[in-house]
Amino acid sequence: MKVVVGITGGIAAYKVPELVRLLKKAGHEVRCAATEHALEFVTRVTLETVSENPLYCDLFASGHTEHISLKDWGDVLVVAPATANIIGKVASGIADDALSTLLLAFSGKPVIMAPAMNSLMWAHPAVQRNISTLKSWGIRMVGPAEGELACGVSGVGRMAEPEQIAAVICQGEGLMMKGERWLVTAGPTYERIDSVRFIGNYSSGKMGFALAQALADAGAEVELITGPTSLKIDHPRVKVTRIESAREMYAAATEVFPQCNGAILSAAVADYRPSECADHKLKKNGDEGMHLDLVQNPDILATLGRMKKEGQTLVGFALETDNEEANAQRKLEKKNLNYIVLNSLRDKGAGFGVDTNKVTIISRDGSYKESPLMSKQEVARLIINTVTS
Ligand code: CTP
């Protein structure tokens, strides 16, 4: 794909060379267009070197038609960072420099924006109104404007990470993972005590469903095996298998894994189940109390780690309270994973039940990638982009 990367004058412009690098690595051709102020934050030489193309920033440099030729050349235009200023200009139809002129000329082709600004500016009604206007015209917002972040979350107005922006661009193409099949586990498991009771946990399944959606959006076929949840997913490339217990999840996952390119196990699987399950409702015992005898469930992740063949990618989750990184790293090696996603319990807004998450992705070679607090959709894209690049 031919990608035009538009850069405006925000501090996040320093992250753009990384975005360009990711796009090039994914096989795209890139040309950059910058505002004058953008070049206060990132240099022309850097942009021309990483994109391997001349920079477009002067409206009058080449006969005033460069915006038209760039518009014809590009399949998609992504503006990162997009300041309040450029958002306002496009919303009002102003074209007074190279990038704003290109943006108006680009109408009819896909435009993506990754807004970045101070949180007070972000909250201003004029900015919010302009964002709504651009969205109503079909301009895709990545990051804070996706509408998935809860109000009051710190970091609002911060630009999406280059990986997320690159993933959205690649997903737009829908080819990034075409032909691949991925397994995702999600939700809690219920371990039956009797005909009406079970041992469960508070997992909502949101993270796993977001992963399945993001994989399918990227072109992959997805086998989603989920424990009890009210969530639904309607995507032609997602096959949902609903199970209840850890053993049922184990059976379903071990059956499909050999046909998969990779697996991401986000389910909160019960480690133990009652050793016996009564087929009727147990009567209370009065003062004697009740004692449950628990036996260990099979470890699905460790089993897939043993089954894993060359070329397959296995990703696990970890929820740790102490020595988080060291424990996660140990789990990664012990279970033969390629990546482990560490859920932080230290942050409000991360973990079970909520719509946001904050994770650290640790790879087998020891590299770390820490995310800010983001929507689970954004975390899903970050994970997928990291484990497939
Ligand atoms: N998992 C699994 N099958 C199990 C238990 C866990 O597939 N029976 C997977 C989860 O889906 C998640 C990861 O393992 O990807 C989480 O592991 P966790 O429960 O944190 O670690 P354990 O290995 O159970 O270690 P511990 O409880 O000692 O922290």
Side-chain angles (χ1 to χ4, degrees):
M1 218 167 28
K2 294 190 172 88
V3 185
V4 183
V5 177
I7 307 129
T8 65
I11 178 68
Y14 82 91
K15 291 185 176 174
V16 171
E18 175 63 5
L19 170 64
V20 175
R21 192 189 67 79
L22 289 169
L23 292 170
K24 298 275 291 182
K25 197 171 147 201
H28 303 299
E29 280 181 70
V30 179
R31 291 194 59 185
C32 295
T35 64
E36 213 181 301
H37 288 151
L39 298 181
E40 301 283 337
F41 298 96
V42 58
T43 69
R44 170 188 282 273
V45 175
T46 308
L47 294 171
E48 293 192 334
T49 307
V50 287
S51 69
E52 298 176 286
N53 267 316
L55 177 75
Y56 170 56
C57 69
D58 183 354
L59 189 54
F60 302 103
S62 50
H64 197 206
T65 55
E66 186 73 0
H67 60 294
I68 301 299
S69 55
L70 252 192
K71 180 245 162 187
D72 291 340
W73 179 86
D75 297 312
V76 57
L77 169 56
V78 55
V79 184
T83 53
N85 188 45
I86 195 79
I87 290 166
K89 278 194 204 176
V90 177
S92 317
I94 295 171
D96 63 352
D97 64 3
L99 182 59
S100 52
T101 308
L102 173 64
L103 269 156
L104 293 198
F106 220 82
S107 108
K109 285 189 166 187
V111 175
I112 298 167
M113 286 194 172
M117 69 199 72
N118 167 280
S119 55
L120 290 173
M121 292 172 71
W122 172 252
H124 194 286
V127 173
Q128 289 302 315
R129 180 202 58 198
N130 291 340
I131 296 261
S132 302
T133 303
L134 297 196
K135 280 175 150 178
S136 73
W137 294 339
I139 293 182
R140 170 90 191 261
M141 296 289 162
V142 189
E146 262 175 303
E148 293 153 349
L149 272 180
C151 286
V153 171
S154 65
V156 165
R158 178 192 167 119
M159 190 175 86
E161 293 301 317
E163 290 83 2
Q164 292 168 251
I165 304 171
V168 170
I169 294 164
C170 296
Q171 280 158 11
E173 194 183 32
L175 293 175
M176 196 169 70
M177 299 181 75
K178 198 169 176 197
E180 295 202 10
R181 177 181 295 270
W182 280 69
L183 161 65
V184 176
T185 66
T189 63
Y190 285 2
E191 310 299 325
R192 289 171 76 131
I193 299 170
D194 65 15
S195 58
V196 296
R197 302 181 181 97
F198 60 84
I199 298 174
N201 60 67
Y202 288 121
S203 168
S204 63
K206 284 178 182 166
M207 193 63 242
F209 274 66
L211 283 162
Q213 180 75 44
L215 283 162
D217 285 346
E221 300 284 334
V222 183
E223 296 277 354
L224 173 62
I225 302 172
T226 179
T229 161
S230 55
L231 297 177
K232 292 193 172 61
I233 190 163
D234 187 18
H235 195 297
R237 283 194 291 273
V238 181
K239 181 177 159 224
V240 186
T241 304
R242 294 188 187 267
I243 53 83
E244 195 176 280
S245 68
R247 284 192 296 176
E248 287 164 6
M249 185 174 275
Y250 177 89
T254 49
E255 193 185 322
V256 297
F257 184 60
Q259 293 91 51
C260 291
N261 297 79
I264 308 180
L265 304 201
S266 69
V269 185
D271 289 324
Y272 294 92
R273 67 175 184 277
S275 57
E276 282 171 44
C277 165
D279 55 10
H280 56 279
K281 180 171 171 262
L282 292 172
K283 283 285 183 202
K284 51 178 151 316
N285 263 341
D287 285 348
E288 273 183 43
M290 183 169 183
H291 299 276
L292 281 178
D293 181 39
L294 301 179
V295 293
Q296 203 165 357
N297 271 327
D299 188 324
I300 304 164
L301 187 57
T303 307
L304 299 194
R306 285 191 293 273
M307 291 168 68
K308 194 173 73 163
K309 297 257 168 17
E310 178 92 27
Q312 280 184 309
T313 303
L314 184 57
V315 185
F317 272 70
L319 191 65
E320 303 285 346
T321 46
D322 312 293
N323 294 325
E324 298 175 309
E325 270 105 13
N327 280 339
Q329 186 90 44
R330 212 167 310 141
K331 217 170 267 180
L332 176 102
E333 269 152 43
K334 194 170 139 217
K335 298 194 185 182
N336 192 24
L337 315 180
N338 301 84
Y339 295 87
I340 193 152
V341 181
L342 178 60
N343 266 304
S344 171
L345 272 182
R346 284 179 298 205
D347 299 277
K348 245 180 106 192
F352 276 13
V354 292
D355 291 329
T356 48
N357 208 356
K358 183 173 190 312
V359 299
T360 305
I361 307 169
I362 305 173
S363 77
R364 191 65 173 260
D365 65 18
S367 64
Y368 279 57
K369 188 174 285 177
E370 213 169 310
S371 79
L373 188 66
M374 304 191 286
S375 69
K376 287 187 172 168
Q377 282 75 7
E378 290 173 305
V379 173
R381 286 197 288 269
L382 182 68
I383 293 170
I384 288 159
N385 215 46
T386 306
V387 307
T388 57
S389 66

